[in-house]
Structure formats: structure tokens, C-alpha cells
Amino acid sequence: MELLDLATLLRENSYPGRGIVIGRTADGKKSAVAYFIMGRSQNSRNRIFTKTEDGIRTEAFDPSKMVDPSLIIYRPVRRLGDRLIVTNGDQTDTVYDAVKAGGSFEDALRTRTFEPDGPNWTPRISGMTSHTGAGEFSVQLSILKSADGNGDCCQRYFFDYPSLPAGEGRFLHTYKQDGDPIPSFEGEPERVAVTAPNAAAWAEELWANLNPDNKVSLYVVYTDPATGERDEVIRNANQ
């Protein structure tokens, strides 16, 4: 699989929707995780990321303009011990609760399906990093999507990376591109380069290349698996 330039992928796609990138920094020492949201409607764009005790959550920027919070207000990122869970919906809590109880990432997501927003049937995308000792970490990714737009059939895909090479990541996003209805992502998570030396630099690179009309919020965290030290950045279009 070709190693792609993430900035170019973002710049050339006006609407990838919501996206998860999980990788390893170029020096090989840290995990690099990014999550972004985009929006076409006023309701979707009326959001910000805010920090919580164990991660981040989405909130209404202007509560008076919130129409339907059901699919847009959730906790995208939660930490559980040496694991970091990131998703595009309330399945973050499904994974968190299952893993905390001794279950697995995969079994938790087998209880869920894509979002009930036909005709788009937005996929649920999820990821988890797990520190495996000696400064190492593994990566799991998943997408739950309709069968080519058939809202009666859910297809569940899981991707397991026991290790990633230094300077590489995997990029999974909800939509292939803009459209009506919006076509779902297809295939394996894209193999992308991770070259920024720190969270601030990576956030700047990603934010600058997300479509300026549709980008809403971005979260980036670099974590040292050996020490647990975190370097975090939040960017909000509404702030």
C-alpha cells in the first residue's frame, strides 16, 4: 500500500466527514492520534471540542441553536488506563464499558451498527491504542457501514496493527467524498506519513488542510507509551 501524504488527502477532499488518524511519530517513540469533525448543516457546525477528565467531548457552541443533539453530542476520546479510545459517536462509551469489564474492542462494536441517518447511513468509525509494554503500543481500527447504501444490512470491518513503523499512520474517515447521498468510505484505512515533531505542529498541518468551509473541530494527542506523558491540542472553528 502506497504511503500517502495526509495533508494532500485532506486538501483534495472537501468532505471526508469525521476522521481518525492513529500512527507512530517519526522518532518511533510516541503514538500520534488525531480526530476531526466536519459539518455541512448549521447544527453540525455549531460544535466545539472541550476537555474532560479522561478525554474530550463535543458541546454546542451556541446552545440556543442546537436542534438535535442525538448524533452530534458525544465523547469522541476517552482514556482507560493505558488505552486510548477514539470514535465518531457514542460507541466510545460502548467500547470503554466493554473493555473496562474485561471485554474486547471487537465484541463491543459487534453490538453496534451505522448511524440511523438515511440515506447517508453514516459509518461508525472507531480506534483504540493499547500500550503493550517496553514503550510499545498496538492499534485497532473499525468501521461499521451499510452494505452499499442498504440501510437494512450492516457490514463490520476490523483492522489490527500489533505495531506500526515509525513515521506511519492509518487514516479512516466516514465518507469517501462529498455527495448526495454522501458515499461511505471504502477499503482499508489509508497508509499515511506522520512527520510532525509534536502535537502542535501536526495540528497546524491538519487544520490548515481541512476544508475551510466545512471544518469544525480537531483534537491531536502525542503520547509517550513509556511514561504516559501526553501532548494535546484542540482546534475549534468557533473559537
Side-chain angles (χ1 to χ4, degrees):
M1 186 186 296
E2 181 184 358
L3 184 63
L4 303 172
D5 179 66
L6 182 55
T8 301
L9 289 177
L10 296 177
R11 187 168 59 250
E12 294 180 350
N13 189 345
S14 64
Y15 203 66
R18 285 164 275 175
I20 296 171
V21 190
I22 301 180
R24 184 186 293 270
T25 54
D27 62 8
K29 296 180 179 179
K30 298 177 182 178
S31 65
V33 176
Y35 177 67
F36 65 81
I37 60 174
M38 307 181 81
R40 300 191 304 177
S41 69
Q42 177 179 292
N43 199 43
S44 291
R45 292 175 177 175
N46 180 36
R47 289 184 289 174
I48 57 173
F49 284 167
T50 61
K51 284 190 176 183
T52 64
E53 183 178 344
D54 63 356
I56 62 169
R57 67 173 292 111
T58 61
E59 292 184 355
F61 174 64
D62 183 346
S64 69
K65 294 180 179 179
M66 179 60 65
V67 178
D68 177 9
S70 61
L71 294 176
I72 63 173
I73 300 300
Y74 55 93
R75 291 184 283 190
V77 176
R78 298 189 69 184
R79 290 183 297 275
L80 177 61
D82 61 1
R83 295 179 173 92
L84 184 74
I85 302 162
V86 53
T87 89
N88 71 324
D90 63 10
Q91 74 268 27
T92 308
D93 298 332
T94 304
V95 174
Y96 182 98
D97 292 341
V99 173
K100 186 176 182 180
S104 70
F105 176 81
E106 294 88 351
D107 286 346
L109 291 169
R110 288 189 179 103
T111 70
R112 303 301 302 267
T113 183
F114 47 81
E115 295 184 357
D117 62 342
N120 295 320
W121 308 119
T122 298
R124 290 190 187 272
I125 56 173
S126 307
M128 185 169 75
T129 63
S130 303
H131 296 171
T132 56
E136 289 298 319
F137 63 94
S138 62
V139 175
Q140 294 167 280
L141 287 165
S142 170
I143 182 168
L144 316 179
K145 54 183 289 189
S146 68
D148 298 314
N150 182 346
D152 295 324
C153 183
C154 179
Q155 298 178 332
R156 298 180 177 90
Y157 300 90
F158 298 94
F159 307 91
D160 190 11
Y161 306 94
S163 182
L164 287 172
E168 281 195 22
R170 297 296 183 268
F171 178 30
L172 186 59
H173 43 104
T174 52
Y175 306 127
K176 186 192 313 184
Q177 60 197 30
D178 205 347
D180 189 17
I182 318 174
S184 294
F185 180 90
E186 294 180 351
E188 294 183 31
E190 294 162 323
R191 179 178 174 236
V192 296
V194 179
T195 59
N198 53 54
W202 204 32
E204 181 62 29
E205 175 188 334
L206 302 184
W207 192 249
N209 286 284
L210 285 165
N211 182 273
D213 295 325
N214 295 321
K215 65 184 178 184
V216 175
S217 295
L218 168 70
Y219 171 79
V220 168
V221 59
Y222 278 29
T223 306
D224 186 332
T227 65
E229 182 180 357
R230 296 188 302 274
D231 178 16
E232 297 175 290
V233 175
I234 290 176
R235 300 290 296 269
N236 289 308
N238 286 314
Q239 291 180 330

